[in-house]
């Protein structure tokens, strides 16, 4: 039931600064110096080897005293507590998140606990975590726990496309799945308060629409460029769509079915499914969103065709759960309909049974598309 509290004011929020381009990591000292000189540099071991060492060196040349925080892999309360204690012990001035969505979400939580600013340096364009003032937290076993909202967005988001292009193209494709949900969900949630608690502004709607336009124009081209490790204008445009436009669009627009389905899917304990990325699960959620929006077949085909062309899942088989029982899918529907879920932003009647049927319906539509196209 959207807007139970009859909110009437509009609200738009964003990071203070967004910088994107090849090799911008070398300019990090210039953009970070106003936050202090003693950062916690949070990254996992792999990312540290790929980009962390280089960043640490650049900062140390500029006289920063860098404390390294090794991220353990899950954005869980335990991990946040552990790294918060380290930050306190080392008296750090601010937090740098270098890595993917879970590293970023943990860094935001650590910074919020300590009242510090956070600078985000994503190493993939796979989620819309970098720009937002919220974290998605998980239990240590990987099950979705809750959203945590902050009063401030990250202070700086610095996106080095020379680093992003080194990541496997699957990451960019996953980001496309996540970003493709932005406009659809924002349109479905237009009468509900966004994650900042206000109604969407005109600019939020425009951002969602532009995000989608870029993905349809350049999505496939960008993924192919990524495979060839080529930073092209199409690649740059899709990195911006996945990171900035999707981030601002979902936060100041709103989420609805697609992300609720993503969260619901964590209820199924299946190794193949569990290994799917955020945006890959959201991609199947996009098909569910279209089902509940009552989209005609031509519109369904337009979205599914783009998703299939970049290797995103559109059926339960693609997610590795073709044998999911009705009982399991009802569990997904139940979790997607949890009391604080974004599915309640929908401007239509929602019940667990309706959502269960939407999941079955989405699977059939995805399969039908493939049959018709000989895939
Ligand atoms: Zn997302």
């Amino acid at each position: 039931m959207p807007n139970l509290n009859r909110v009437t004011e509009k609200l738009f929020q964003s990071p203070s600064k967004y910088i994107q381009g090849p090799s911008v990591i070398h300019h990090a000292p210039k953009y970070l110096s106003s936050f202090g000189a003693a950062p916690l540099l949070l990254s996992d071991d792999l990312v540290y080897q790929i980009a962390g060492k280089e960043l640490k060196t650049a900062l140390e040349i500029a006289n920063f005293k860098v404390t390294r925080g090794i991220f353990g892999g899950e954005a869980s309360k335990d991990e946040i507590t552990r790294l918060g204690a380290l930050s306190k012990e080392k008296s750090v001035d601010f937090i740098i998140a270098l890595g993917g969505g879970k590293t970023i979400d943990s860094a935001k939580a650590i910074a919020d606990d300590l009242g510090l600013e956070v600078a985000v340096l994503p190493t993939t364009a796979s989620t819309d975590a970098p720009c937002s003032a919220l974290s998605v937290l998980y239990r240590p076993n990987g099950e979705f726990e809750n959203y945590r909202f902050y009063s401030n967005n990250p202070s700086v988001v610095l996106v080095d496309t020379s680093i992003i292009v080194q990541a496997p193209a699957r990451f960019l494709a996953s980001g496309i799945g996540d970003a493709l949900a932005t406009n659809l969900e924002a349109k479905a949630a237009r009468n509900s308060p966004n994650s900042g608690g206000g109604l969407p502004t005109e600019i939020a709607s425009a951002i969602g629409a532009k995000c989608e336009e870029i993905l349809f124009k350049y999505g496939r081209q960008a993924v192919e460029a990524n495979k060839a490790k080529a930073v092209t204008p199409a690649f740059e445009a899709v990195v911006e769509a996945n990171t900035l436009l999707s981030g601002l669009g979902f936060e100041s627009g709103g989420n609805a079915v697609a992300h609720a389905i993503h969260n619901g899917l964590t209820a199924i304990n299946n190794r193949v499914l569990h290994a799917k990325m955020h945006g890959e699960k959201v991609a199947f959620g996009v098909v569910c969103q279209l089902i509940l929006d009552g989209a005609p077949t031509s519109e369904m085909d337009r979205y599914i065709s783009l998703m299939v062309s970049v290797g995103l899942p559109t059926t339960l088989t693609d997610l590795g759960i073709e044998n999911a029982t009705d009982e399991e899918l009802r569990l997904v529907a139940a979790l997607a309909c949890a009391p604080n879920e974004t599915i309640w932003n929908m401007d239509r009647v929602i019940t667990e049974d309706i959502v269960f049927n939407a999941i079955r319906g989405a699977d059939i539509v995805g399969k039908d598309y493939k049959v018709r196209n000989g895939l």
Side-chain angles (χ1 to χ4, degrees):
M1 271 41 64
N3 209 352
L4 277 180
N5 297 325
R6 302 276 182 268
V7 172
T8 51
E9 72 260 33
K10 296 181 173 192
L11 183 150
F12 178 82
Q13 62 189 63
S14 71
S16 312
K17 216 170 255 187
Y18 179 90
I19 305 115
Q20 179 186 311
S23 301
V24 291
I25 201 169
H26 297 294
H27 303 150
K30 179 172 93 180
Y31 293 112
L32 302 182
S33 61
S34 60
F35 309 127
L40 176 84
L41 171 55
L42 184 65
S43 68
D44 64 31
D45 257 334
L46 184 68
V47 167
Y48 185 75
Q49 297 308 325
I50 295 167
K53 275 184 183 170
E54 201 179 334
L55 174 63
K56 189 165 179 274
T57 306
L59 290 170
E60 283 173 349
I61 289 170
N63 294 321
F64 284 80
K65 183 173 165 277
V66 182
T67 298
R68 209 189 137 198
I70 303 167
F71 180 58
E74 197 51 87
S76 65
K77 285 176 182 161
D78 292 353
E79 188 65 355
I80 291 157
T81 307
R82 180 181 74 79
L83 291 157
L86 173 71
S87 306
K88 245 185 180 166
E89 185 196 320
K90 301 286 182 185
S91 306
V92 306
D93 298 327
F94 65 104
I95 313 289
I96 300 174
L98 180 73
K102 291 191 178 194
T103 307
I104 295 166
D105 280 354
S106 302
K108 286 190 252 184
I110 298 162
D112 186 67
D113 283 345
L114 302 177
L116 301 175
E117 304 213 55
V118 61
V120 175
L121 283 72
T123 50
T124 67
S126 59
T127 72
D128 42 31
C131 293
S132 70
L134 69 87
S135 293
V136 188
L137 300 180
Y138 294 85
R139 302 205 168 94
N141 66 2
E143 205 176 305
F144 170 70
E145 174 133 36
N146 63 298
Y147 291 107
R148 182 169 162 186
F149 296 91
Y150 310 112
S151 44
N152 293 313
N153 292 71
S155 308
V156 170
V157 178
L158 194 80
V159 184
D160 188 324
T161 42
S162 314
I163 293 172
I164 305 257
V165 83
Q166 299 305 320
R170 183 183 170 194
F171 285 78
L172 190 75
S174 173
I176 290 174
D178 200 18
L180 203 52
T182 303
N183 195 41
L184 288 172
E185 288 190 286
K187 282 197 287 188
R190 62 188 173 277
N191 292 321
S192 295
N194 55 32
S195 48
L199 291 177
T201 54
E202 296 295 330
I203 191 66
S205 315
I207 287 171
K210 186 72 187 176
C211 179
E212 189 177 280
E213 182 193 318
I214 291 171
L215 300 177
F216 276 104
K217 260 192 195 163
Y218 298 121
R220 181 173 163 79
Q221 195 188 134
V223 169
E224 293 305 312
N226 197 159
K227 287 178 187 165
K229 308 266 178 260
V231 178
T232 61
F235 179 77
E236 288 274 5
V238 171
V239 168
E240 187 184 327
N242 287 6
T243 313
L244 181 63
L245 279 68
S246 181
L248 301 185
F250 99 82
E251 182 163 49
S252 290
N255 283 142
V257 173
H259 276 77
I261 293 290
H262 165 277
N263 295 339
L265 283 169
T266 65
I268 297 188
N269 194 4
N270 171 293
R271 218 181 303 148
V272 180
L273 175 66
H274 190 63
K276 296 289 176 196
M277 301 180 69
H278 174 79
E280 292 174 333
K281 286 178 270 186
V282 171
F284 180 71
V286 164
V287 189
C288 298
Q289 178 77 53
L290 288 163
I291 290 279
L292 288 177
D293 287 344
T297 304
S298 57
E299 190 67 352
M300 291 275 187
D301 281 2
R302 206 165 71 86
Y303 285 90
I304 295 174
S305 148
L306 171 62
M307 293 195 281
V308 168
S309 79
V310 297
L312 284 168
T314 56
T315 63
L316 294 176
T317 307
D318 294 343
L319 289 174
I321 50 169
E322 62 273 29
N323 298 321
T325 60
D326 280 0
E327 201 186 353
E328 284 176 308
L329 294 182
R330 285 194 182 277
L331 225 60
V332 173
L335 201 56
C337 293
N340 55 353
E341 260 303 343
T342 55
I343 206 160
W344 301 112
N345 291 338
M346 285 290 284
D347 253 339
R348 70 165 344 271
V349 177
I350 294 289
T351 65
E352 288 181 20
D353 196 50
I354 286 172
V355 176
F356 165 76
N357 280 283
I359 295 169
R360 280 280 181 231
D363 182 46
I364 290 298
V365 160
K367 276 183 185 151
D368 177 54
Y369 174 88
K370 291 189 183 188
V371 169
R372 277 188 283 119
N373 290 278
L375 300 168

